[in-house]
Each structure stands twice: as C-alpha cells, then as structure tokens.
Amino acid sequence: MPFLELFSDPAVWASFLTLTILEIVLGVDNVIFISIAAARLPEAQRRRARVLGLAGALVLRIGLLFSIAWIVSLSEPFTTILGHPLSWRDVILLVGGAFLIYKAATEIFAEVEGDSHHAATPPPKVTFFGVITQIIVLDLVFSLDSVITAVGIADHIEVMIAAITIAILLMMVAATPIANFVEHHPSTKMLALAFLVMVGMSLGAEGLGFHIERGFIYAAMVFAGGVEALNLWRQKRRMRIRMAADKVLATQGERAGVMHQH
C-alpha cells in the first residue's frame, strides 16, 4: 500500500493507536530501569543518560524492525538442554532476566544496607559509559518484546516505526518527572525495584519456556501503586494536620507571652 494511502485506512489508524498504547505500557519497565540506573550518576549527567538510553532503545527497535527475518530466526531452537529446546531468543531473555534481577537486587541492598556498609567500604565507582552500557543491554531485551508485539499487531512497517517513535518520545518527556518522583520517595523506589525483579523473573521464565502474561505483572503493580499512592496521601495529610497543630500551639504560646507581659 502506498505511504499516503495509509492515512485514509481506518484499520491502519486502529492498529497504530493500539500499538502506540501497548508500546508505552511495555516501555514502563524500561523507563523505570533507566531512571534508577541513571540515579547513580552525578545530577548533571542524569538527564543526558536517560535521553541517550531511550534514544538507544529507539534505534535498536527500528533496527530490529528492519531485521524481522533475523528476529524470527532467533526463535528457532539451536540445541536441546534437559529435553527443553533452546533458541537464541531464550538465551537473550535468560541473560537479560538474570541481569535485571541482579541489578534490582543490588539496588535494593544499597537502599536497605547502604548506609551502614558505606561507612566501612566506599561505594563502587559508577561511570557514565558503564550506566549507558547497562541501559543498552536491557534495551536489547525489552526491544525484543516490543518488536515482537509490533509485528503481531501492525502489518505495515511504517506504522510500527511511527508507533514506536511516538511511544519513545512520550517516554523521554515522562522520564524526568518519573525519575524525580522515584528519587524523592524511597518507598516508591523500593516498589519500582520490586517491579523490576518481577519483570526479570518473567523474562527468565519466558526463556525457560514458561509464558507468564505481562498483564498479571502490570495488574499487580497497578494495585501496589494504588496502595502506595494512598500511603503518600496519608503522609501528606498527617503532615498538614501536624503543621496546623504546630501553628495553633505557636499562636497560643505568643498569646500567653503577651498576657504574661501585661
């Protein structure tokens, strides 16, 4: 179908909107990982790392779209281990899942035990190149899911590229507010890290041939996020009540002082 005729086809628009929404949903774990990985860098480098990380994800996904035949070949088994056929896609998912679990676990350890251990041993040095390398490794794993989803929904590569590009651009806009929110709310950061552990386990299970619907993981995360939102609202409400009580006490103290002087 000629490029201009795509705009007049309602089915193309439907697949485009559906794919864009799904790409944004599938990109949530990518944004969380990039935000947490970049948080280890000096503040001046964090935004640059997030933008470069998401730009790398965009380049990888478009490159993979133009290599659909290679993507299909990745799913072909090349060996069998304990009766389980193993493909290169399985290997990538297993390695990516293990790396994501390791990264999330070390971040959780740093959050929980970091202060006491930092007193005895200095924190490991984090470089800009090292963070970008970690992001690119996980981008490859997340891009496989993204591209396979795109190929399954849309029939035209132009639609796939447009949907993926818009989703990544929206994630670039949302990355900084998400990173700032996670950084300023430690309990939310722990929740995000637990989410990454779940995604890592899901990737590993997929690599071993056990398919877990990502919808279950996202539903659990939405529920936990709702609970966390209620906790944050309760904390803010308590803080307002406490500030109002302190203000009343301060006013009463001033009045008592004035009466004592008279």
Side-chain angles (χ1 to χ4, degrees), residues 176-200:
T176 298
I178 289 173
N180 291 338
F181 184 82
V182 169
E183 189 64 27
H184 290 96
H185 297 86
S187 58
T188 305
K189 186 174 182 179
M190 292 295 287
L191 196 63
L193 290 168
F195 175 51
L196 291 180
V197 171
M198 283 198 300
V199 172

Side-chain angles (χ1 to χ4, degrees), residues 104-257:
T106 53
E107 289 288 338
I108 290 172
F109 177 82
E111 288 292 315
V112 177
E113 301 286 349
D115 293 338
S116 59
H117 280 263
H118 285 172
T121 58
K125 223 176 178 183
V126 177
T127 64
F128 185 82
F129 177 75
V131 169
I132 293 298
T133 302
Q134 290 179 19
I135 289 172
I136 288 174
V137 169
L138 260 297
D139 274 346
L140 176 61
V141 180
F142 291 133
S143 294
L144 279 177
D145 270 356
S146 175
V147 169
I148 290 169
T149 301
V151 172
I153 290 177
D155 297 322
H156 306 281
I157 196 166
E158 299 94 337
V159 175
M160 299 177 202
I161 291 174
I164 286 174
T165 301
I166 289 174
I168 293 288
L169 290 175
L170 287 174
M171 283 188 274
M172 283 182 178
V173 173
T176 298
I178 289 173
N180 291 338
F181 184 82
V182 169
E183 189 64 27
H184 290 96
H185 297 86
S187 58
T188 305
K189 186 174 182 179
M190 292 295 287
L191 196 63
L193 290 168
F195 175 51
L196 291 180
V197 171
M198 283 198 300
V199 172
M201 291 187 67
S202 169
L203 292 174
E206 189 89 17
L208 292 172
F210 301 99
H211 179 66
I212 299 175
E213 288 292 340
R214 293 287 278 276
F216 291 120
I217 296 176
Y218 289 129
M221 197 60 193
V222 168
F223 177 77
V227 174
E228 178 64 15
L230 287 174
N231 282 331
L232 292 174
W233 176 76
R234 185 183 64 174
Q235 286 177 8
K236 285 185 179 179
R237 190 165 178 272
R238 281 183 175 180
M239 192 175 294
R240 287 197 200 101
I241 293 171
R242 191 176 302 158
M243 288 174 65
D246 290 343
K247 192 174 180 181
V248 169
L249 288 174
T251 304
Q252 289 177 347
E254 288 175 3
R255 287 177 181 173

Side-chain angles (χ1 to χ4, degrees), residues 55-111:
L58 177 60
V59 171
L60 272 172
R61 290 176 192 192
I62 292 176
L64 290 173
L65 280 174
F66 283 105
S67 310
I68 292 174
W70 178 69
I71 292 291
V72 172
S73 70
L74 285 178
S75 299
E76 295 298 322
F78 67 90
T79 187
T80 302
I81 298 178
L82 299 175
H84 172 66
L86 194 69
S87 67
W88 286 112
R89 179 177 177 270
D90 295 334
V91 172
I92 292 171
L93 291 176
L94 281 168
V95 173
F99 177 74
L100 194 57
I101 292 171
Y102 166 77
K103 183 64 183 173
T106 53
E107 289 288 338
I108 290 172
F109 177 82
E111 288 292 315

